[in-house]
Amino acid sequence: MRKPHPTLYRRVKIVSERQVLEQAAEILERNYVRGDAFCNPQATKDYIAYKLGHRKREVFAVMFLDNQHQLIEFKVLFLGTIDSANVYPREVVKAALDANAAAVIIAHNHPSGDPTPSNADRRITRRLVEALALIDVRVLDHIVVGKDCVSFAERGYL
């Protein structure tokens, strides 16, 4: 029996779904979203969905943007349980100041898959809008990720 030629077999690196989604978010960030400066709601929702949609517990994140709405940093600030995450406006304000952000897009996921904003989601959004306004940082949107994405700006909640 002949031995197979060593170059016929290649080592294949196995990647997880999460790694694929992270790569997709990075591609959007590099090629599409940065060009539109996060002014395109669908591209922004896609980016957030790739970043948060695979999470098994609730995660609260913030996109820190400059005055041209270019991404400075995407940062997960709070990790929660399967159905809630405690969000502290003081910490969001500190992070916005650290990033020298002019605007933010806040986002979190609903591991249940239902992206309908809860009353608690609407309350924390109001508190964050008020707190960030004190330091002249605009909240452009709050996106809730489930099976689909819900934009507070598109629904008129902001």
Side-chain angles (χ1 to χ4, degrees), residues 52 55 57-61 76-81 84-87:
L52 302 181
R55 303 289 187 118
R57 58 187 196 169
E58 198 162 300
V59 174
F60 184 91
V76 172
L77 291 181
F78 307 103
L79 299 174
T81 62
S84 68
N86 291 324
V87 176

Side-chain angles (χ1 to χ4, degrees), residues 27-115:
I27 291 167
L28 272 175
E29 186 177 316
R30 269 195 319 270
N31 298 325
Y32 182 57
V33 178
R34 280 196 179 154
D36 282 350
F38 287 101
C39 296
N40 179 322
Q42 188 57 52
T44 304
K45 288 190 290 189
D46 290 346
Y47 175 76
I48 296 290
Y50 291 136
K51 290 294 231 181
L52 302 181
H54 62 280
R55 303 289 187 118
K56 301 282 189 237
R57 58 187 196 169
E58 198 162 300
V59 174
F60 184 91
V62 181
M63 293 172 58
F64 298 103
L65 309 172
D66 65 15
N67 59 358
Q68 300 296 313
H69 299 167
Q70 297 285 330
L71 182 65
I72 297 169
E73 179 182 14
F74 175 90
K75 190 170 190 178
V76 172
L77 291 181
F78 307 103
L79 299 174
T81 62
I82 60 168
D83 62 355
S84 68
N86 291 324
V87 176
Y88 301 98
R90 171 189 173 100
E91 297 301 318
V92 176
V93 168
K94 282 173 48 178
L97 288 170
D98 286 345
N100 200 27
V104 298
I105 296 173
I106 56 180
H108 77 281
N109 66 320
H110 283 176
S112 69
D114 180 4

Side-chain angles (χ1 to χ4, degrees), residues 45 48-49 52-53 107-111 115 143-150:
K45 288 190 290 189
I48 296 290
L52 302 181
H108 77 281
N109 66 320
H110 283 176
I143 296 173
V144 182
V145 178
K147 289 180 182 155
D148 297 314
C149 293
V150 171

